[in-house]
Structures are given as C-alpha cells and as structure tokens.
C-alpha cells in the first residue's frame, strides 16, 4: 500500500489544490500505478488520499470541516442528553470512518451506505441543534360561511 501511496502522491503534484475532478481524478495517476504493478489497481487503498486525488486539498479540507462540524454537533448533543444513542452511534461511525479510510477508499463514494449514513446523520444532527419555533396554529383554515375570521390559538 505504501508504494501505491507514494506513486499517487507523485502523480497528483501538478493538481494537488483542486484534484483531477470528482470521480475522474484516479485517471491522473492510474496509468503509472498500473505500469508499476503490471495490473489494474482501482484505487489508492487510502480514502483520504483518494479524496485529494478527486477533489484536491481544497475539497478535502472542506469535507474535513463538515465531518468535524458534525462530530462536534454529535458530541454537544450527547453532552446535553439529547439523542444520546444517535450521537454515540455517529461518533462511533466517525471512528470507523477514520480508521477504515486508512486502508480502504470509501471517503467520498456517493453510491455507498457510508455516504448515505454520513448525509442522514449530518442532517438529523443539525435539525436537532436548531431550537423549535412555534408558529401560530390557525383553527379553521377556510373562511366560515358566516364570514367570521379564523381563530388563532
């Protein structure tokens, strides 16, 4: 794996800031890697490195900020006693994500369960962070026959 990683790092030096484009960045480096090993290697065997290959350091930085932000929200929810089980699950998932992407490449794979979990958890945690706002409930949405105005509770 480390040999693949060094070839990938050498291959992205020209486009390190923006990467090769989401989903097509691997094409920048795959030819040299395939020649070196004499067979097709489909990914860098490191999700963080693949993230830089695809979306560059800028995209990887923004993705990391979102990831850390959601972790901070989960931790805050857990400490406040709100959705403790969900927050613990999310923090455990983040540990799995960090460790798993050192040896595999699933950090930005949008067609995997990992991406779905990431998206749903961030939305759910963010919605719980906002205070609930009560809007007036209108009794009788439609005007009555006698022309009276709807009542508000």
């Amino acid at each position: 794996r480390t040999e693949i990683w060094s070839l990938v790092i050498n291959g992205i030096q020209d486009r390190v800031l923006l990467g090769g484009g989401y989903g097509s960045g691997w094409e920048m480096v795959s030819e040299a890697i395939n020649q070196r090993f004499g067979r097709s290697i489909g990914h860098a065997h490191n999700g963080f490195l693949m993230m830089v290959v695809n979306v560059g350091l800028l995209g990887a930085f923004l993705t990391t900020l979102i990831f850390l932000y959601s972790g901070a929200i989960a931790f805050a929810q857990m400490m406040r006693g709100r959705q403790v089980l969900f927050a613990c699950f999310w923090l455990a998932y983040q540990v799995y994500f960090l460790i798993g992407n050192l040896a595999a490449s699933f950090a930005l794979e949008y067609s995997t369960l990992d991406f779905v979990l990431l998206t749903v958890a961030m939305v759910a945690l963010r919605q719980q962070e906002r205070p609930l706002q009560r809007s007036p409930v209108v009794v009788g949405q439609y005007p009555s026959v006698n022309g009276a105005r709807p009542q508000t509770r």
Side-chain angles (χ1 to χ4, degrees):
R1 290 177 195 260
T2 56
E3 197 170 343
I4 294 172
W5 297 345
S6 65
L7 290 168
V8 169
I9 291 169
N10 289 336
I12 62 170
Q13 288 182 359
D14 293 340
R15 305 209 43 192
V16 72
L17 186 61
L18 298 176
Y22 184 74
S24 62
W26 186 247
E27 294 172 10
M28 288 188 319
V29 296
S30 64
E31 187 176 334
I33 292 170
N34 294 344
Q35 285 177 357
R36 167 64 183 91
F37 291 101
R39 63 185 176 96
S40 178
I41 306 287
H43 55 85
H45 294 279
N46 183 308
F48 307 111
L49 195 51
M50 280 300 292
M51 195 182 316
V52 174
V53 166
N54 284 315
V55 295
L57 287 176
L58 182 62
F61 175 74
L62 293 174
T63 303
T64 302
L65 281 180
I66 292 169
F67 193 76
L68 292 174
Y69 177 70
S70 68
I73 291 173
F75 185 75
Q77 294 287 25
M78 186 178 66
M79 296 308 290
R80 290 182 189 139
R82 295 187 200 159
Q83 291 191 337
V84 174
L85 184 62
F86 187 75
C88 288
F89 165 76
W90 180 242
L91 292 172
Y93 173 77
Q94 285 194 316
V95 171
Y96 155 76
F97 185 88
L98 292 171
I99 293 171
N101 274 294
L102 292 175
S105 297
F106 57 86
L108 283 181
E109 294 294 325
Y110 64 88
S111 62
T112 63
L113 181 59
D114 296 303
F115 185 80
V116 172
L117 285 174
L118 175 71
T119 305
V120 169
M122 287 191 316
V123 169
L125 287 168
R126 183 63 184 131
Q127 285 180 345
Q128 286 298 314
E129 189 68 14
R130 295 183 188 148
L132 294 175
Q133 297 177 352
R134 291 187 58 130
S135 58
V137 177
V138 177
V139 178
Q141 291 177 290
Y142 305 101
S144 65
V145 177
N146 63 7
R149 295 182 62 185
Q151 298 174 357
T152 307
R153 283 194 270 186

